[in-house]
Amino acid sequence: MLKSLLSLGVELNQIHDLDILMERILERARHFSGADAGSVYIREGDRLKFSYTQNRTLERRLAPGRKLVYTTYSIPVDKTSIAGYVAESGEFLNIENVYDLSDNLSYRFNKEMDTLADYRTASMLTLPLVTPTSGTMGVLQVINAQDDKGRTIPFSTEDEEVMFHFAALAAVALERAQITRSAILRLVEASALRDPLETGAHVNRVAEYSITLYENWARCHSVPEEEITINRDVFRMAAMLHDVGKIAIPDRILKKPGKLDSEEFERMKEHTFIGARLFQPFESAYNRAAAEVALCHHERWDGKGYPGCVEIMTGAPCKGACQADGSSGTKAGESIPVFGRIVALADVFDALSSKRAYKESWKEKDVLAYIRNEKGGQFDPELVDIFFDVYDELKRIQDFYAHPEPSAG
Ligand code: C2E
Ligand code: SIN
Ligand code: SIN
Ligand code: FE
Ligand code: FE
């Protein structure tokens, strides 16, 4: 037991993606304690968000290959629920049967959960996810310990000890993911400081347009809703950072009031791979997506974009065959990652619609004519169709940033 716990710690440390890591922790925690089901709640301010869940009994009722779909919900961090109590007090609770809780206790089991899922919860072990520096980050819960005949039994003292170990691993993983996230947001702020006139609102609009296009594209391609939800967050930050490489471009070019000469434009083009470089090593989903977007947001569907296949450390053309079809050099069509194709469209829509140091804003009808005309040229034709399908929504985003609503409070 000790040996497998120790090697587990090493294995989990090699997983950098929060979602994969939390799934794995939950799976192993259930396995070690013999639990039928388990959940992880993540704290967001004064609420606990139900974030990951597994349930063997319910999974068995599904057709093979199908995954359970849970509605997402959150509960307050307070003493009225079991998970809320654990998060607030920092104490663990080992409950033999959630239907036999004494009325004297402040917390209740929410029976609605069982009714909705057609499941019968009995024993439940709930632990806080705590780190010394961040405090309580969430809650780990395992449900219905089973004996070797499949009968539900209470969780033992030994289970408690093993679960403390898992809770510590999960807490560290969560903390690490939040540090990644806040570091990325600071990078967005740093690039806005460099170029405050153009960067601030541009970055937010491009991110919002990009997510709207992505959601519609993903539904057309039958991407599961859970994956869309995860990608939204990752892609929003990546889109915000598409031009982060411009921090390395000198002011005389970046802020030039007139047209760039060809040498200046060559220099400007470097913002793509310089941006991508900042996210190495690509150890998390955020880093991978941000690098992809920075590198590919000026590629064109017809292959005439830049920088093409380059070594991101030097900007020199790749030597090896770096395309799926074995070719090297340019990137075109679906060999451009979809996040890159989407930001390419969102970025130009915003750049044409806006005044820049070097140009006036274009009239709406000219912007739309340009985009329609570049369908299959500069832009992915499918994305151009989606663009016009959701144009109302894009317009609302544009209006919002033109006349931001007074913030409440
Ligand atoms: P940006 O101003 O945010 O523009 C993003 C992209 O929108 C451009 O990528 C281009 O594809 C499109 N775009 C912007 N304005 C026009 C336009 O008037 N006509 C057309 N057809 N497309 C337009 P691109 O060209 O690769 O430029 C990348 C970045 O380089 C620009 O970002 C801007 O920061 C800078 N840049 C490009 N041209 C000039 C220029 O003439 N003067 C200055 N000062 N900067 C420029
Ligand atoms: C650029 O894309 O770098 C230029 C402008 C932009 O991407 O917003
Ligand atoms: C990490 O690498 O620290 C996790 C970030 C993530 O991919 O969610
Ligand atoms: Fe750019
Ligand atoms: Fe841009």
Side-chain angles (χ1 to χ4, degrees), residues 34-37 119-124 142-146 152-153 155:
D36 188 50
Y119 185 73
R120 181 72 182 190
T121 303
S123 59
M124 184 183 260
V142 278
I143 294 166
N144 287 356
Q146 310 210 300
T152 299
I153 52 169
F155 288 95

Side-chain angles (χ1 to χ4, degrees), residues 284-295:
S284 71
Y286 290 118
N287 286 330
R288 270 192 305 279
E292 193 170 284
V293 166
L295 187 64

Side-chain angles (χ1 to χ4, degrees), residues 181 184 188 203-204 206-218 227-242 285-294 297 337-347 383:
R181 203 171 181 282
I184 287 177
V188 172
V203 149
N204 285 306
V206 170
E208 295 297 321
Y209 298 150
S210 297
I211 292 169
T212 304
L213 293 171
Y214 170 71
E215 278 181 325
N216 287 276
W217 179 91
E227 200 178 314
I228 297 178
T229 308
I230 293 166
N231 280 343
R232 267 181 71 96
D233 195 45
V234 170
F235 187 31
R236 169 180 281 113
M237 289 203 230
M240 288 175 90
L241 287 163
H242 70 276
Y286 290 118
N287 286 330
R288 270 192 305 279
E292 193 170 284
V293 166
H297 75 278
V338 69
F339 285 173
R341 272 139 56 199
I342 291 172
V343 173
L345 176 54
D347 183 30
L383 287 174

Side-chain angles (χ1 to χ4, degrees), residues 271-402:
H271 80 277
T272 50
F273 59 84
I274 291 174
R277 214 186 269 169
L278 295 174
F279 301 100
Q280 275 198 320
F282 308 143
E283 60 189 6
S284 71
Y286 290 118
N287 286 330
R288 270 192 305 279
E292 193 170 284
V293 166
L295 187 64
C296 298
H297 75 278
H298 288 295
E299 296 294 354
R300 295 172 48 114
W301 182 260
D302 60 15
K304 294 179 188 155
Y306 64 87
C309 291
V310 294
E311 311 277 359
I312 66 171
M313 292 318 287
T314 60
C318 282
K319 288 189 199 75
C322 52
Q323 300 287 323
D325 67 4
S327 65
S328 64
T330 58
K331 279 191 186 145
E334 283 176 359
S335 75
I336 307 163
V338 69
F339 285 173
R341 272 139 56 199
I342 291 172
V343 173
L345 176 54
D347 183 30
V348 173
F349 171 54
D350 193 63
L352 296 181
S353 308
S354 313
K355 184 173 153 36
R356 287 276 194 267
Y358 64 96
K359 62 171 260 299
E360 288 304 315
S361 60
W362 289 21
K363 291 198 193 73
E364 182 179 5
K365 72 169 181 22
D366 296 332
V367 175
L368 297 183
Y370 181 88
I371 289 172
R372 197 174 286 117
N373 190 46
E374 289 294 344
K375 175 174 167 176
Q378 187 168 1
F379 307 123
D380 177 347
E382 183 187 5
L383 287 174
V384 171
D385 287 338
I386 294 172
F387 176 93
F388 285 105
D389 287 345
V390 300
Y391 188 63
D392 282 356
E393 234 173 295
L394 303 177
K395 225 28 220 167
R396 270 198 297 279
I397 296 166
Q398 195 172 48
D399 288 344
F400 175 82
Y401 285 101

Side-chain angles (χ1 to χ4, degrees), residues 238-262:
M240 288 175 90
L241 287 163
H242 70 276
D243 275 336
V244 68
K246 284 184 179 176
I247 58 178
I249 306 299
D251 270 357
R252 66 177 168 82
I253 298 176
L254 188 67
K255 297 179 182 170
K256 182 174 176 176
K259 225 178 140 34
L260 301 181
D261 66 28
S262 64

Side-chain angles (χ1 to χ4, degrees), residues 58-299:
L58 296 182
E59 272 154 20
R60 277 192 187 139
R61 293 183 200 156
L62 293 172
R66 295 296 304 271
K67 281 193 87 178
L68 284 177
V69 181
Y70 291 88
T71 47
T72 51
Y73 67 92
S74 73
I75 53 175
V77 175
D78 65 22
K79 293 197 157 61
T80 61
S81 67
I82 296 168
Y85 179 91
V86 167
E88 194 188 69
S89 67
E91 296 164 19
F92 78 99
L93 290 175
N94 187 352
I95 299 169
E96 271 191 49
N97 190 331
V98 292
Y99 283 86
D100 296 338
L101 286 176
S102 151
D103 289 340
N104 300 333
L105 298 167
S106 65
Y107 48 86
R108 300 266 169 284
F109 174 64
N110 183 358
K111 300 181 175 88
E112 218 179 293
M113 292 302 297
D114 272 5
T115 315
L116 279 174
D118 187 20
Y119 185 73
R120 181 72 182 190
T121 303
S123 59
M124 184 183 260
L125 175 57
T126 310
L127 302 96
L129 303 176
V130 200
T131 70
T133 42
S134 304
T136 302
M137 320 227 17
V139 165
L140 173 64
Q141 189 164 66
V142 278
I143 294 166
N144 287 356
Q146 310 210 300
D147 66 15
D148 43 20
K149 296 199 175 61
R151 287 174 304 215
T152 299
I153 52 169
F155 288 95
S156 65
T157 325
E158 199 197 359
D159 291 333
E160 289 173 11
E161 279 166 24
V162 173
M163 291 304 292
F164 270 112
H165 186 76
F166 281 103
L169 288 173
V172 168
L174 262 182
E175 186 177 45
R176 194 178 63 191
Q178 290 189 1
I179 290 170
T180 302
R181 203 171 181 282
S182 63
I184 287 177
L185 288 174
R186 258 178 261 136
L187 201 49
V188 172
E189 281 167 27
S191 48
L193 282 179
R194 178 68 208 294
D195 189 9
L197 281 182
E198 286 178 10
T199 307
H202 174 60
V203 149
N204 285 306
R205 283 189 306 254
V206 170
E208 295 297 321
Y209 298 150
S210 297
I211 292 169
T212 304
L213 293 171
Y214 170 71
E215 278 181 325
N216 287 276
W217 179 91
R219 296 215 171 91
C220 291
H221 289 256
S222 311
V223 177
E225 284 301 317
E226 304 148 64
E227 200 178 314
I228 297 178
T229 308
I230 293 166
N231 280 343
R232 267 181 71 96
D233 195 45
V234 170
F235 187 31
R236 169 180 281 113
M237 289 203 230
M240 288 175 90
L241 287 163
H242 70 276
D243 275 336
V244 68
K246 284 184 179 176
I247 58 178
I249 306 299
D251 270 357
R252 66 177 168 82
I253 298 176
L254 188 67
K255 297 179 182 170
K256 182 174 176 176
K259 225 178 140 34
L260 301 181
D261 66 28
S262 64
E263 182 213 337
E264 290 165 338
F265 191 55
E266 286 310 305
R267 186 76 193 272
M268 177 58 93
K269 285 176 174 177
E270 296 178 358
H271 80 277
T272 50
F273 59 84
I274 291 174
R277 214 186 269 169
L278 295 174
F279 301 100
Q280 275 198 320
F282 308 143
E283 60 189 6
S284 71
Y286 290 118
N287 286 330
R288 270 192 305 279
E292 193 170 284
V293 166
L295 187 64
C296 298
H297 75 278
H298 288 295
E299 296 294 354

